[in-house]
Amino acid sequence: MCLRMEHHVVLDTAHQAPTVEITVDGRPVSAYEGEPILAALLANGIRVNRYTVKRHEPRGLFCGIGQCTDCAMIVDGIPNVRTCITSVRAGMVVETQDGLGKKVAP
Amino acid sequence: MMIRKEVVVVGAGPAGLSAAIEAARAGADTLLVDLNLKPGGQLFKQIHKFFGSSSHRSGTRGIDIGKLLVREAQEAGVELWLKSTVVGLFPGYKVGIQRGGDDETKELVTVHAKKIVIATGASENVVRFKGWTTPGVMGAGAAQTMVNVNHVKPGQRIVMLGSGNVGLIVSYQLMQAGCEVVALVEAAPNIGGYAVHAAKICRAGVPLYTKHTIVEAVAGEDGCLRQVVIAQVDETFQPIPGTEQTLEADCVAIGAGLKPSAELLRLLNCRFMFSGAFGGYIPLHNEKMETSLSGIYVAGDSTGVEEANTALEEGRIAGVSAAEQLGLIDGARADARRTEIWERLKALRQGPFGERRQTAEDEILREYAAQVGVPAEEVMPEVLTEAI
């Protein structure tokens, strides 16, 4: 499933930024450099970013502007990174966050 | 690390940008702080043309107004700190700022300001129904950010909850992005927003479910949204059993209004009042957009949810007033500027929707006069003073 916008009546959807590869839970995902990590993941059909501490419920994009923390993930080993306000860099390692930052069991 | 600035503006949306532009143009050493990756606040997701008069750039898209403001701020010499969160306001006009993104090493910086402008905007209201935390259920603003800023669709089949202007405009913009809006759900008997926006949705064939609400978001095996159950509501907005319908959808966008975000001013014990028309508790302000504390100003949605245009004008007033208090603009000139801007604000608060906001604004100014009168010189909050 690709959710990238192809054509738009108002916006120019031609991406200026180079395509780079990041790793998400061990598999390669292509992304545009500089876009929010969350957008790259959503474009590739990845909608769960973390699981809650007590009830282990999935969470994903909710506010999209750094307020709600539902999209927090582990980025390059750092937990609780709000992926909606953190930019993609080539080679980033992104992991689904379980609770307060432990990795999800495979 | 200690840094001194004449004016610190918190929030780089339309209100904060215009406050910073006015202050910097008057010659103030101005710092603008925002937690996001880019300045502009929510302007860059407003790809529709604005209403109003030519003095409000009607017919111009929010995204273009955003670009213009960012350029003007640069030209005026405003210093901009992005990925920087104001985490506290402390007695003596100290602004605590955490610098650095979540994936970077963060540092805490204290900036000593002479004047502070709070332009921290608003946050989206949520409607809670069974399964509302399921991935795929999000704020309408979040869905709008995804398509208009990030060019990624939040889903293929959308159920929009709420028919205010946000619900209507975002529905249309999701369709422009190539999504299918499978239902527009509204608990009230009538559409809430402007008829001109509703007409676009109707013409596009979006099914409108007034007197309906969402009763459940159903997740699929992957834990993400797969179905949405809606039902008719009675006069007290309670779902009527037996009227449920199930819609296939992978995204719910909740457009249930916004509430002002002015938590920072609570830290300084600024006076607040409740205003239904403005979306919740808001800090009191006078005609200079000054709060109950001298030298601390507020502008935009953080002092009443309205539109980008009103935020922009309020920001200008705050910037002019801060510069005046610093002695950079003389009183007569500042008064003239404010009078001119208040006239334009009045023009924006007309019509069936605007009138309510004008009445609310008048009430705030009256409350300020009654409760505060002259802003307090001492920035030290009462609790702290007592503790010391």
Side-chain angles (χ1 to χ4, degrees):
Chain A
M1 176 170 59
C2 181
L3 290 170
R4 291 222 188 260
M5 251 163 52
E6 298 299 329
H7 309 285
H8 198 283
V9 67
V10 178
L11 297 165
D12 177 10
T13 54
H15 279 267
Q16 309 295 322
T19 303
V20 297
E21 200 176 274
I22 60 173
T23 306
V24 182
D25 291 334
R27 62 188 183 93
V29 164
S30 90
Y32 290 112
E33 192 166 28
E35 73 177 335
I37 298 168
L38 178 69
L41 266 51
L42 187 61
N44 287 281
I46 301 166
R47 298 155 68 85
V48 177
N49 303 113
R50 69 177 182 98
Y51 290 89
T52 57
V53 180
K54 287 183 187 169
R55 292 161 67 175
H56 203 73
E57 292 174 350
R59 292 287 185 269
L61 161 64
F62 192 77
C63 84
I65 52 170
Q67 300 294 317
C68 77
T69 70
D70 267 2
C71 67
M73 300 180 84
I74 303 167
V75 176
D76 291 335
I78 304 170
N80 304 314
V81 173
R82 290 167 290 177
T83 53
C84 67
I85 53 163
T86 305
S87 303
V88 162
R89 276 179 287 106
M92 255 179 171
V93 178
V94 179
E95 296 160 278
T96 304
Q97 180 167 326
D98 186 19
L100 296 174
K102 283 176 295 200
K103 290 176 189 176
V104 173
Chain B
M1 184 159 71
M2 178 85 78
I3 295 168
R4 288 184 193 279
K5 288 281 164 190
E6 285 182 301
V7 178
V8 172
V9 181
V10 188
L17 277 168
S18 53
I21 290 166
E22 290 294 338
R25 278 184 182 163
D29 184 14
T30 305
L31 173 65
L32 178 58
V33 185
D34 196 289
L35 69 86
N36 289 285
L37 297 167
K38 290 172 188 166
Q42 310 314 313
L43 274 172
F44 285 96
K45 63 195 198 192
Q46 302 191 3
I47 61 167
H48 53 280
K49 293 176 178 174
F50 279 22
F51 290 164
S53 63
S54 55
S55 67
H56 288 113
R57 305 191 185 101
S58 63
T60 309
R61 300 181 197 280
I63 193 170
D64 295 320
I65 294 173
K67 283 178 197 159
L68 181 71
L69 288 177
V70 170
R71 198 172 63 231
E72 283 180 359
Q74 280 165 351
E75 285 167 3
V78 172
E79 186 176 340
L80 176 65
W81 288 4
L82 294 169
K83 295 200 273 185
S84 301
T85 306
V86 173
V87 291
L89 293 181
F90 305 100
Y93 300 90
K94 288 179 198 156
V95 186
I97 305 173
Q98 189 185 51
R99 297 194 74 181
D102 282 356
D103 63 332
E104 299 165 344
T105 308
K106 294 178 180 178
E107 64 168 342
L108 198 58
V109 181
T110 305
V111 176
H112 272 220
K114 287 182 177 162
K115 309 294 165 200
I116 298 168
V117 181
I118 299 300
T120 39
S123 60
E124 295 196 83
N125 293 331
V126 165
V127 177
R128 293 163 190 83
F129 41 81
K130 192 179 173 194
W132 71 278
T133 56
T134 304
V137 179
M138 64 190 72
Q144 189 185 29
T145 301
M146 275 301 136
V147 286
N148 293 350
V149 179
N150 299 322
H151 301 182
V152 175
K153 292 175 270 190
Q156 314 272 19
R157 291 170 59 83
I158 321 275
V159 173
M160 177 65 70
L161 180 61
S163 72
N165 281 328
V166 168
L168 297 174
I169 291 173
V170 175
S171 290
Y172 191 71
Q173 292 176 352
L174 285 164
M175 288 189 280
Q176 285 181 319
C179 304
E180 190 184 347
V181 179
V182 296
L184 178 70
V185 180
E186 167 61 58
N190 296 305
I191 295 293
Y194 292 141
V196 62
H197 296 314
K200 282 182 175 178
I201 308 297
C202 290
R203 281 201 300 273
V206 172
L208 305 182
Y209 293 91
T210 51
K211 290 189 193 169
H212 275 73
T213 193
I214 293 177
V215 289
E216 187 179 354
V218 183
E221 276 174 19
D222 60 353
C224 299
L225 185 68
R226 211 188 67 197
Q227 287 175 331
V228 179
V229 183
I230 63 169
Q232 213 174 314
V233 295
D234 61 22
E235 291 74 25
T236 60
F237 299 112
Q238 296 308 304
I240 302 170
T243 63
E244 295 86 359
Q245 290 179 60
T246 301
L247 307 169
E248 300 294 316
D250 55 0
C251 173
V252 166
I254 304 171
L258 299 133
K259 61 176 173 296
S261 299
E263 293 85 352
L264 285 172
L265 291 171
R266 293 274 190 195
L267 298 176
L268 293 176
N269 262 5
C270 281
R271 297 279 183 113
F272 279 67
M273 73 173 272
F274 186 83
S275 171
F278 279 145
Y281 282 93
I282 54 160
L284 290 181
H285 60 255
N286 62 15
E287 287 85 353
K288 298 179 177 182
M289 297 313 293
E290 194 170 17
T291 65
S292 57
L293 292 173
S294 174
I296 298 181
Y297 301 86
V298 67
D301 277 1
S302 56
T303 188
V305 173
E306 291 188 84
E307 294 162 5
N309 272 335
T310 45
L312 208 147
E313 297 288 22
E314 287 183 348
R316 284 193 177 123
I317 295 174
V320 166
S321 303
E324 179 198 16
Q325 243 191 20
L326 286 166
L328 298 167
I329 303 178
D330 71 75
R333 172 144 172 71
D335 276 338
R337 283 294 315 275
R338 278 190 293 262
T339 307
E340 163 199 314
I341 299 168
W342 277 108
E343 283 305 314
R344 291 205 298 265
L345 274 169
K346 217 172 219 171
L348 286 169
R349 289 166 179 153
Q350 285 176 345
F353 290 88
E355 226 163 75
R356 210 166 143 249
R357 292 186 276 116
Q358 182 63 52
T359 308
E361 181 64 43
D362 293 341
E363 201 187 335
I364 290 161
L365 295 173
R366 263 201 317 276
E367 272 304 304
Y368 187 97
Q371 280 193 40
V372 184
V374 179
E377 285 300 325
E378 180 59 86
V379 78
M380 191 81 82
E382 289 152 38
V383 257
L384 266 183
T385 319
E386 279 162 22
I388 292 161

